[in-house]
Amino acid sequence: MTKNIAIIGASGYTGAELIRLIATHPDLEIAALAANSKAGQRMDQVFPHLRHLDLPKLVTWEEIDFSAIDLCFCALPHKTSQEVIRELPKHLKIVDLSADFRLRDPEAYAKWYGNPHAATEMQKEAVYGLTEFYRDEITAARLVAGTGCNAATGQYMIRPLISAGVIGLDDIILDLKCGVSGAGRSLKENLLHAELSEGTNAYSVGGTHRHLGEFDQEFSTLAGRDVRVQFTPHLLPMNRGILATAYVTGAPDEVHGALCDAYADEPFIIPLPFGETPSTHHVRGSNFCHVGVTGDRIGGRSIVVAALDNLTKGSSGQALQNANLMLGLPETQGLMLAPCFP
Amino acid sequence: MTKNIAIIGASGYTGAELIRLIATHPDLEIAALAANSKAGQRMDQVFPHLRHLDLPKLVTWEEIDFSAIDLCFCALPHKTSQEVIRELPKHLKIVDLSADFRLRDPEAYAKWYGNPHAATEMQKEAVYGLTEFYRDEITAARLVAGTGCNAATGQYMIRPLISAGVIGLDDIILDLKCGVSGAGRSLKENLLHAELSEGTNAYSVGGTHRHLGEFDQEFSTLAGRDVRVQFTPHLLPMNRGILATAYVTGAPDEVHGALCDAYADEPFIIPLPFGETPSTHHVRGSNFCHVGVTGDRIGGRSIVVAALDNLTKGSSGQALQNANLMLGLPETQGLMLAPCFP
Amino acid sequence: MTKNIAIIGASGYTGAELIRLIATHPDLEIAALAANSKAGQRMDQVFPHLRHLDLPKLVTWEEIDFSAIDLCFCALPHKTSQEVIRELPKHLKIVDLSADFRLRDPEAYAKWYGNPHAATEMQKEAVYGLTEFYRDEITAARLVAGTGCNAATGQYMIRPLISAGVIGLDDIILDLKCGVSGAGRSLKENLLHAELSEGTNAYSVGGTHRHLGEFDQEFSTLAGRDVRVQFTPHLLPMNRGILATAYVTGAPDEVHGALCDAYADEPFIIPLPFGETPSTHHVRGSNFCHVGVTGDRIGGRSIVVAALDNLTKGSSGQALQNANLMLGLPETQGLMLAPCFP
Amino acid sequence: MTKNIAIIGASGYTGAELIRLIATHPDLEIAALAANSKAGQRMDQVFPHLRHLDLPKLVTWEEIDFSAIDLCFCALPHKTSQEVIRELPKHLKIVDLSADFRLRDPEAYAKWYGNPHAATEMQKEAVYGLTEFYRDEITAARLVAGTGCNAATGQYMIRPLISAGVIGLDDIILDLKCGVSGAGRSLKENLLHAELSEGTNAYSVGGTHRHLGEFDQEFSTLAGRDVRVQFTPHLLPMNRGILATAYVTGAPDEVHGALCDAYADEPFIIPLPFGETPSTHHVRGSNFCHVGVTGDRIGGRSIVVAALDNLTKGSSGQALQNANLMLGLPETQGLMLAPCFP
């Protein structure tokens, strides 16, 4: 029951991560790889670490024969993604890794991304790809929108707490530390090794990061009222990994209990024993997310810390998990790789 | 007017940092270096980067002739420090870099450090070494207690806000990211490169970090009431640097104004223009502390971010700044080294 | 046809790497894990990144019931390893990852390791574990000695050149750069992040590194005469990876040809097109070894550069490859994980 | 006796490093800073770590009034540098940090840099800036050409050995490991943190690196015959530092003796005791160069290892050292900063 896969946008980090994961997936076959700016090149020229694989040459996405494709991953930059997906065959199953179909409200999209949406009808159709919370919809979906990597991390920590009603909704603070691969393979001065290694800084401070659009949409829907969190990301000198520290009001044991209940049967989200905290070292290269809870010396406050790999669970691993569901394959197929430590 | 200096505990990172700074100080002469576990060795065996300097051999502190010493830096581990300082000549000016004389209350000391204090009378005499806020007392002091590096960072952000009355006192959250040299040259598994590089984790979560003792003492004194902050440190894969992110309630312009007013004449504490945030990259190896303020999309909330080098402004640079005052030298002497970037 | 596996020395990096690889191996079951110093602990306490696996508790090796074990990996420090292996049941298949059975000559062992060998009869029995060159012997062996990680790298570059007679034997220079995990999880000052990151140094300079014993044995046997190479390792601020640069006299096209011929059918050793050079980035976490050849502006000189992951192809991956052969399983089983980049 | 300084090309790393060093130089005043692409900006916008300094705004170099300038540092890319320097006032003292005036032979320049030289008469006038070996010429020079950072490192190791006649000239091999700041602040994919950290690779393999032009010129001149070395650079995941390992034929004690003799009175070049090897950690941020020698188990071979900071002793520190000489100031002025470790 091999399924044929295409990847559009195969020359970026999330595209490469998809290929890394699919390389040991027993039921998926990579039938086409597109990257318009590098069409004609071999993948080992773009990503020499994939040299051992027998992969199709890079083509433009327009050259792909989609009639033989069961599912297409779209790993393009946002805005480009919607313009391409709009043109793809209507029957094709699609997992989009960009930001383009995460927000259901065209106005919210326009506000956070600065341009009107070019495929508003598909925006409505798309299912939000946070697997553990949209499993049934994803299984039935044609178009799934991969979540933001920061947005996924924050939701794994906070959603069960909102659902269980164990925290206050007006003073949620999310301080997030992320590795540089989340910024993609882009040539920006602040992403150079010489600028980034051995130091750290906050960015998008003050409630301006785009993933807030996802938090607002999801948390408000869940709570049945407006929820606005404070969210500050920091760039760390590491390639992979997100560590998020959430400061909430709520009884620590109830907070821990709500997370343990929510994830009791989940294969990838692992609540730690009360009082333990996770490390990005321990999820690197894997699809696992570790979540820990501690109390504070100040009563009624809880600290929740979560760790995941932004390229895997935060992006391409999530995409593959969703694709498995959409294709009727076991959800964990190809995703049980152990973290790479040290 | 050369002054003779001794350093006890010269084989640790703060000892080495003192020597690095004093190396270009025009008025200080290193007359004695002690490190009991390495007595008899040359400094270039312990720290080859100091090879170009003509330094005295390491001796035990008991071997030092203090009659010729104007000021002694004590860079020993806490507990050991109080036991040694108790035995030093009573006339000797001392800057202690350990935690031993930071807390004025013997009970608070015992609570945070787990042992009764062995020199309670000197604990009372000691002046808290946060130069910008205890300048006069330090100038007149015989024994100055260097602050914790995290404690210094947090106070540079919060003290002026408490003094100016521009923030709420019951919901101050301090999320701190620090480099590994703060843990010293100790052989611990979690400090190994293989365990630490390329990842991050929180530690001392839940209001258990010892520097909270300093925050409690200083903020409560300042506010004239009990103030308890939430403080969570994170270990980052970098050698030097602390970045602290404070979440406070208060009008952003007032918060920024209070910091600008407080530091208008300070040589080392530099408030950034409103809306800019600092980076540890830009203070590495220097005695400067950069402080930035932004608002949030949620009204009435402010985010303050500060960056300093834990070994310099957070420890040995602060110690030298205090020593300059105690010796009647210009406060900035030897401390105007520009940060080392990249 | 599931085979039962034991790992003795499971609390070190090579033990953890074995578990990481076996985690996705379809035919191996981890039946016992031993680590005498941590007996009684759970593996997630020692290595939290393995938390998602259902692993046996750590025991002492004496507690293992070997009657149900098909093959035992021994990942102990050298010297301890021979003392333990000597006591194991005589029928048990063993892959030793230590240095104890690499050298066939007891005198050579004593010279390089400083102590007489405690199991000289087994030393004779052991097969040298460089899979690609000892495949038949390994398949039939009971005891296989894993090679040194540096020794493996150097041999992948040089053996085919000696066999093909395309290089001079008296001026082979091997300059090697290795990551820190090769030194294991040992508490040494020079392995601390603060000492190691952002810098590099040579070590064991001047023909003193123990892996020279392996080079001498293997290259001399192959050449039918004494061959002594110059070998200088350097410690780099990275966790995984060995990059070796060999300077040899010989025609570049012949050197490249000899390597391409030797590895034409090998699944893991990948010669690059002439003139390309490999990077450790592109083999990280995988069992692949990339080898490149270039000429020099000086005629008759060739530069060979190889990259592999010291923990995988240089140690635990090699061990698993050998175990597959010894157990009659497909050689590449569990080893086709793509490198983890970035 | 304050001297007025201009820096053209102040927005790159070598420009910033010059400012860092001059910041604590007692006799130099920065009177003008040029960076044509960023003219109009303040330096703290380009390099926030220089925020504490009172620096002139960036202008175009054409805007500088050179009548008040005593010496101009030119830190432009090669080719641009010669075009600008050609237009500067003829009386102006200039230290060029680019590659443009290093090679005295126009044909050699054209061969290594791919374009004819645009200022051949100045090429003849320029003095090669390796201070320790051209001290008198530099003192008297109007135009000094800063050396390549790799070229400087290799020459500190090899020149005294050629002069003393203690090594063979036909088999010198130089394996060099360098940090990323040597590549400047350029937006190239391979310089991104995600591509560079945690791994290493060789580059410009096979005798193609441009610094070979300098080695050829200098070593051949010194030896009175053609000398061609093999030179292979490797890119390491660190920001500052060059470690070079030279493999030469020659008696180790004679090699060590020749280096000790050559540098006995040098303030910045420090030969280590025989058998010790240097580390880039121990020179970071300083103008020192450590050089070590060991023998090999193979008689008659020596290994020389040197470490320096490419931005300081390899570039801007060297430039300042030369400027001091040209301005009649003490050679070590502003350059005695101790290395920044850890």
Side-chain angles (χ1 to χ4, degrees), chain B residues 272-330:
Chain B
L272 306 189
F274 186 82
E276 293 188 22
T277 49
S279 165
T280 65
H281 293 100
H282 301 142
V283 293
R284 185 167 50 219
S286 83
N287 205 49
F288 298 102
C289 173
H290 293 180
V291 191
V293 177
T294 60
D296 194 80
R297 57 176 187 159
I298 305 174
R301 305 230 186 141
S302 295
I303 299 164
V304 186
V305 187
L308 57 71
D309 183 319
N310 56 298
L311 281 183
T312 319
K313 187 59 177 158
S315 185
S316 302
Q318 179 199 74
L320 181 54
Q321 194 177 347
N322 290 335
N324 281 337
L325 290 175
M326 294 162 79
L327 292 168
L329 300 172

Side-chain angles (χ1 to χ4, degrees), chain C residues 25-277:
Chain C
H25 190 295
D27 294 321
L28 297 187
E29 172 85 21
I30 296 175
L33 293 173
N36 284 28
S37 66
K38 309 214 168 173
Q41 294 191 35
R42 297 187 319 273
M43 269 310 281
D44 68 272
Q45 296 176 287
V46 179
F47 284 117
H49 71 290
L50 301 175
R51 188 184 286 277
H52 66 290
L53 296 171
D54 187 24
L55 294 170
K57 249 194 180 176
L58 287 167
V59 296
T60 66
W61 68 265
E62 294 91 341
E63 294 175 82
I64 298 178
D65 172 9
F66 286 102
S67 66
I69 302 297
D70 293 292
L71 185 142
C72 178
F73 293 102
C74 206
L76 293 167
H78 75 92
K79 192 155 184 297
T80 305
S81 196
Q82 58 193 255
E83 290 162 7
V84 169
I85 287 178
R86 195 176 50 180
E87 307 300 326
L88 296 180
K90 289 300 167 238
H91 71 279
L92 187 67
K93 288 181 198 290
I94 299 169
V95 178
D96 182 35
L97 286 81
S98 86
D100 275 1
F101 298 96
R102 294 170 186 168
L103 301 184
R104 283 183 289 274
D105 175 9
E107 279 179 45
Y109 176 85
K111 176 190 148 198
W112 287 105
Y113 290 91
N115 55 280
H117 203 287
T120 44
E121 68 299 338
M122 299 186 73
Q123 202 187 359
K124 273 171 228 152
E125 177 196 355
V127 173
Y128 191 67
L130 199 70
T131 326
E132 288 75 8
F133 297 96
Y134 288 90
R135 193 169 268 125
D136 293 344
E137 296 89 328
I138 290 166
T139 305
R142 193 185 74 81
L143 171 59
V144 168
T147 73
C149 52
N150 300 320
T153 316
Q155 290 181 69
Y156 285 133
M157 308 160 80
I158 304 293
R159 287 185 78 112
L161 312 184
I162 295 178
S163 295
V166 297
I167 59 166
L169 299 179
D170 295 320
D171 52 5
I172 301 169
I173 290 177
L174 196 56
D175 187 286
L176 190 136
K177 298 89 179 160
C178 63
V180 68
S181 63
R185 207 178 202 182
S186 19
L187 296 181
K188 294 185 188 154
E189 196 171 271
N190 70 318
L191 306 183
L192 293 174
H193 188 280
E195 306 276 325
L196 185 60
S197 83
E198 286 292 306
T200 187
N201 59 274
Y203 66 98
S204 299
V205 184
T208 61
H209 194 284
R210 287 163 165 177
H211 290 182
L212 278 167
E214 291 175 66
F215 286 132
D216 290 356
Q217 168 181 290
E218 295 298 312
F219 291 157
S220 299
T221 303
L222 202 59
R225 51 155 281 197
D226 254 25
V227 177
R228 295 283 174 273
V229 303
Q230 268 190 283
F231 164 55
T232 310
H234 299 75
L235 186 57
L236 262 63
M238 58 191 199
N239 288 338
R240 288 171 176 255
I242 291 176
L243 190 86
T245 310
Y247 299 91
V248 293
T249 51
D253 59 336
E254 291 180 21
V255 165
H256 187 248
L259 289 166
C260 289
D261 289 351
Y263 300 125
D265 298 323
E266 287 299 338
F268 296 119
I269 318 294
I270 306 183
L272 307 189
F274 186 82
E276 294 188 20
T277 49

Side-chain angles (χ1 to χ4, degrees), chain B residues 13 38 46-47 180-181 184-198 236-239, chain C residues 13 38 46-47 180-181 184-198 236-239:
Chain B
Y13 291 148
K38 309 213 168 174
V46 178
F47 284 117
V180 67
S181 63
R185 206 179 202 181
S186 21
L187 296 182
K188 293 184 189 155
E189 196 170 270
N190 71 319
L191 305 183
L192 293 174
H193 188 279
E195 306 276 327
L196 184 59
S197 83
E198 287 291 307
L236 262 63
M238 58 190 199
N239 289 337
Chain C
Y13 291 147
K38 309 214 168 173
V46 179
F47 284 117
V180 68
S181 63
R185 207 178 202 182
S186 19
L187 296 181
K188 294 185 188 154
E189 196 171 271
N190 70 318
L191 306 183
L192 293 174
H193 188 280
E195 306 276 325
L196 185 60
S197 83
E198 286 292 306
L236 262 63
M238 58 191 199
N239 288 338

